[in-house]
């Protein structure tokens, strides 16, 4: 734990060096450049306990990185198994790297990804791994392609250690924002018409949902027994971004909380088309996505899944919709198939501009605060299903959207990285309270209550439902960055897990313009 805390303290100081004080004008639009990335690597696996070789595991990653300077970048990424025999292996980690242009288009890139995770009986040990890389890349007009060398090592008593080719693409996606202290400030279009916000807005959607999976056909557990007749209940979160001509792209994450042994989760990346009716009060959305899924004893082979879906949504009030969806989830060879049915709440946000797509001004404008926190967390004496209690450490990502100055909704995902529980992961949501800035504007206190799905790694969570209250504080390094600490409890409603938790990390805090 001391080494982990030292790593985060060094990271806080290093990132702060690249974070300049921002102009205090609350309407001044700042642009944080970044990029979205997808990559793939084929990992050589060790022989099994009988000495038999295992085919390579295909890992696919989804990342978002921010430029900390002209050459240094940092961000976060998920990896999931999509080929091989380890469907259900997932990870979360931190990216840090350096890019050097050789020509206007050609560049080299070196860095590393450090994180935690595992799953599906893989020899992942505690879950901690490091993935350094050295890539060559080429910048096309709107996309970057790269390839190079990488090495992955699950170094905390794991047995996955491989060197391989690393390929991927990058798409530039920047953040437009103002100071975090500007959250909840309201303006009229006339007040912002002479600023850089005088542009067409972009729409994003935040969607919290519950889904039921009903397996059929040849679907089975990893022990060979049939999955038919079981209903896997999932809780999840989806974020989507509008594209031209009523198209949209989305990222979806789910975790099981009931119906099977805890541990199943999936991550999907996809797109769809939006059809509006009844003066945009009723919408139909067709979706298609691909991704990784598995765990909880569900046999998804390599983990690659296909997910077509159709949703009908009805406006409840303002930008809030209720949605019902129906679809299918299947592996390419159809050895795993499930019908899906779900319900959820969706919140649409028009952001980054005062004009709609018809160049008409919106009536009301407000800045909304968001926080993104990366933390290292420890559960003391975490109860196991078949082994003695032991501390478990995990890397945790949390996003907070502020409803007003003092109340926020939160989503958090965590993956074990030390403590002999590499397959353990969480996906939880909830609500929190945030204090005024105190002690010379340096400290904010918070309290939150989160709940959702968790499982894997022999941690005793029953069918997966956990409740996680905590309190803590943020110490502000500047307006955009703060050190975050918390203490709390985690309790499994149908398992033995009942542990005290402590977390320490770094938060990135901004406000963005919303319009309606």
């Amino acid at each position: 734990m001391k080494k982990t805390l030292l790593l985060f303290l060094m990271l806080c100081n290093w990132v702060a060096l690249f974070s300049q004080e921002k102009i205090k004008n609350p309407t001044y639009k700042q642009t944080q450049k970044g990029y979205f990335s997808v990559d793939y690597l084929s990992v050589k696996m060790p022989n099994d306990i009988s000495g038999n070789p295992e085919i390579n595991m295909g890992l696919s990653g989804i990342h978002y990185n921010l430029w900390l300077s002209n050459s240094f970048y940092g961000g976060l990424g998920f990896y999931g198994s999509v080929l091989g025999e380890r469907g259900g292996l997932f990870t979360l980690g931190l990216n840090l790297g350096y890019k050097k242009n050789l020509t206007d288009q050609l560049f080299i890139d070196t860095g590393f990804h450090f994180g935690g995770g595992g799953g599906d009986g893989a020899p992942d040990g505690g879950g901690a791994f490091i993935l350094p890389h050295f890539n060559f890349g080429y910048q096309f007009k709107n996309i970057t392609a790269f390839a190079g060398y990488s090495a992955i090592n699950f170094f905390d008593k794991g047995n996955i250690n491989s060197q391989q080719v690393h390929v991927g693409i990058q798409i530039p996606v920047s953040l437009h924002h103002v100071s975090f202290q500007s959250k909840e400030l309201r303006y009229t279009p006339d007040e912002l018409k002479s600023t850089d916000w005088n542009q067409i807005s972009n729409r994003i959607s935040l969607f919290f949902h519950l889904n039921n999976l009903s397996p059929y056909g040849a679907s089975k557990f990893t022990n060979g027994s049939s999955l038919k007749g079981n209903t896997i209940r999932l809780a999840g979160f989806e974020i989507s971004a509008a594209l031209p001509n009523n198209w949209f792209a989305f990222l979806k994450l789910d975790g099981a909380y009931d119906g099977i042994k805890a541990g199943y989760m999936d991550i999907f990346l996809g797109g769809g088309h939006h059809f509006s009716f009844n003066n945009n009060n009723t919408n139909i959305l067709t979706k298609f996505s691909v991704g990784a899924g598995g765990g909880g004893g569900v046999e998804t082979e390599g983990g690659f899944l296909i997910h077509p879906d159709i949703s009908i949504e009805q406006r409840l009030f303002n930008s809030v919709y209720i949605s019902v969806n129906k679809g299918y989830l299947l592996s390419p060879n159809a050895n795993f198939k499930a019908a899906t049915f779900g319900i959820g709440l969706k919140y649409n946000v028009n952001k980054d501009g005062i004009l709609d797509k018809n160049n008409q001004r919106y009536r009301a404008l407000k800045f909304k605060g968001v926080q993104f926190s990366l933390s290292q967390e420890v559960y003391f004496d975490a109860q196991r299903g078949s082994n003695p209690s032991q501390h478990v450490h995990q890397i945790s990502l949390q996003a907070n959207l502020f409803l007003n100055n003092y109340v926020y909704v939160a989503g958090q995902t965590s993956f074990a990285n030390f403590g002999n529980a590499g397959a353990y992961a969480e996906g939880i949501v909830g609500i929190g309270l945030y204090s005024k800035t105190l002690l010379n504007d340096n400290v904010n206190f918070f309290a939150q209550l989160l709940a959702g799905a968790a499982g894997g790694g022999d941690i005793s969570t029953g069918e997966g439902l956990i409740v996680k209250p905590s309190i803590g504080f943020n110490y502000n390094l500047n307006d955009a960055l703060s050190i975050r600490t918390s203490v709390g409890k985690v309790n499994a409603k149908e398992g033995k897990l009942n542990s005290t938790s402590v977390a320490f990390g770094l938060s990135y805090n901004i406000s963005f313009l919303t319009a309606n």
Side-chain angles (χ1 to χ4, degrees), residues 8 76 92-93 116 372-377 379 393-399 411-417 426 428 448 450 468 484 503-506:
F8 269 96
L76 300 169
L92 165 68
F372 302 95
S373 302
L374 183 68
S375 300
Q376 183 69 21
E377 187 172 26
Y379 292 169
H393 303 253
Q394 58 183 2
I395 186 170
S396 175
L397 170 64
Q398 180 168 324
Q412 183 187 101
T413 185
S414 306
F415 292 77
N417 57 4
E426 297 176 356
I428 53 180
Q448 62 184 31
L450 308 180
K468 190 174 176 180
R484 176 185 175 91
F504 179 86
L506 184 70

Side-chain angles (χ1 to χ4, degrees), residues 456-485:
D458 195 41
I459 303 298
S460 182
T461 58
E463 293 186 345
L465 180 62
I466 64 168
V467 177
K468 190 174 176 180
S470 62
I471 58 174
F473 68 90
N474 295 292
Y475 179 82
N476 301 318
L477 300 173
N478 54 41
D479 184 65
L481 293 172
S482 57
I483 296 173
R484 176 185 175 91
T485 64

Side-chain angles (χ1 to χ4, degrees), residues 273-311:
H273 195 76
H274 175 273
F275 301 90
S276 295
F277 304 93
N278 188 24
N279 197 27
N280 205 34
N281 288 306
T282 305
N283 302 309
I284 295 177
L285 290 78
T286 57
K287 300 179 181 179
F288 183 82
S289 58
V290 296
V298 177
E299 179 59 81
T300 57
E301 298 176 337
F304 183 73
L305 297 176
I306 301 168
H307 187 20
D309 182 87
I310 186 169
S311 302

Side-chain angles (χ1 to χ4, degrees), residues 60-278:
S60 184
I62 301 170
H63 311 264
Y64 185 69
N65 293 320
L66 301 176
W67 288 106
L68 305 177
S69 70
N70 289 332
S71 300
F72 289 94
Y73 63 86
L76 300 169
F78 293 94
Y79 278 102
S81 172
V82 293
L83 291 175
E85 301 176 7
R86 300 296 177 175
L89 185 147
F90 291 96
T91 71
L92 165 68
L94 168 72
N95 304 315
L96 288 173
Y98 174 81
K99 175 185 175 183
K100 173 68 175 178
N101 277 86
L102 304 177
T103 68
D104 287 343
Q105 285 78 37
L106 186 65
F107 64 88
I108 57 173
D109 165 29
T110 186
F112 69 90
H113 175 88
F114 167 75
D120 195 42
D124 45 49
F129 74 100
I130 192 165
L131 177 61
H133 70 264
F134 184 87
N135 296 329
F136 286 93
Y138 190 87
Q139 175 67 59
F140 296 94
K141 183 177 180 180
N142 295 314
I143 195 171
T144 298
F146 64 86
Y149 160 88
S150 67
I152 187 170
N153 182 9
F154 281 77
F155 59 86
D156 185 44
K157 302 179 182 178
N159 196 26
I160 302 174
N161 191 351
S162 170
Q163 301 178 25
Q164 61 278 316
V165 173
H166 183 85
V167 297
I169 60 171
Q170 301 170 356
I171 301 172
V173 179
S174 297
L175 297 176
H176 302 294
H177 64 94
V178 298
S179 161
F180 183 65
Q181 300 304 321
S182 298
K183 66 181 184 300
E184 296 304 307
L185 293 181
R186 298 173 182 267
Y187 292 88
T188 65
D190 284 340
E191 291 175 309
L192 297 185
K193 68 180 181 181
S194 298
T195 71
D196 290 338
W197 298 108
N198 188 20
Q199 62 184 19
I200 295 176
S201 67
N202 302 305
R203 189 184 75 239
I204 62 170
S205 300
L206 309 175
F207 185 34
F208 296 92
H209 59 257
L210 300 174
N211 266 317
N212 287 349
L213 301 186
S214 300
Y216 64 97
S219 302
K220 60 185 178 182
F221 289 102
T222 52
N223 64 12
S225 60
S226 176
L227 262 169
K228 288 193 296 185
N230 290 272
T231 299
I232 306 172
R233 294 180 170 84
L234 307 176
F237 171 78
E238 179 181 310
I239 182 170
S240 65
L243 302 174
N245 300 317
N246 290 324
W247 292 94
F248 60 91
F250 67 91
L251 174 69
K252 184 170 81 77
L253 301 91
D254 297 289
Y257 66 91
D258 189 45
I260 59 170
K261 181 181 70 173
Y264 177 89
M265 71 173 295
D266 53 43
I267 300 177
F268 289 96
L269 183 65
H273 195 76
H274 175 273
F275 301 90
S276 295
F277 304 93
N278 188 24

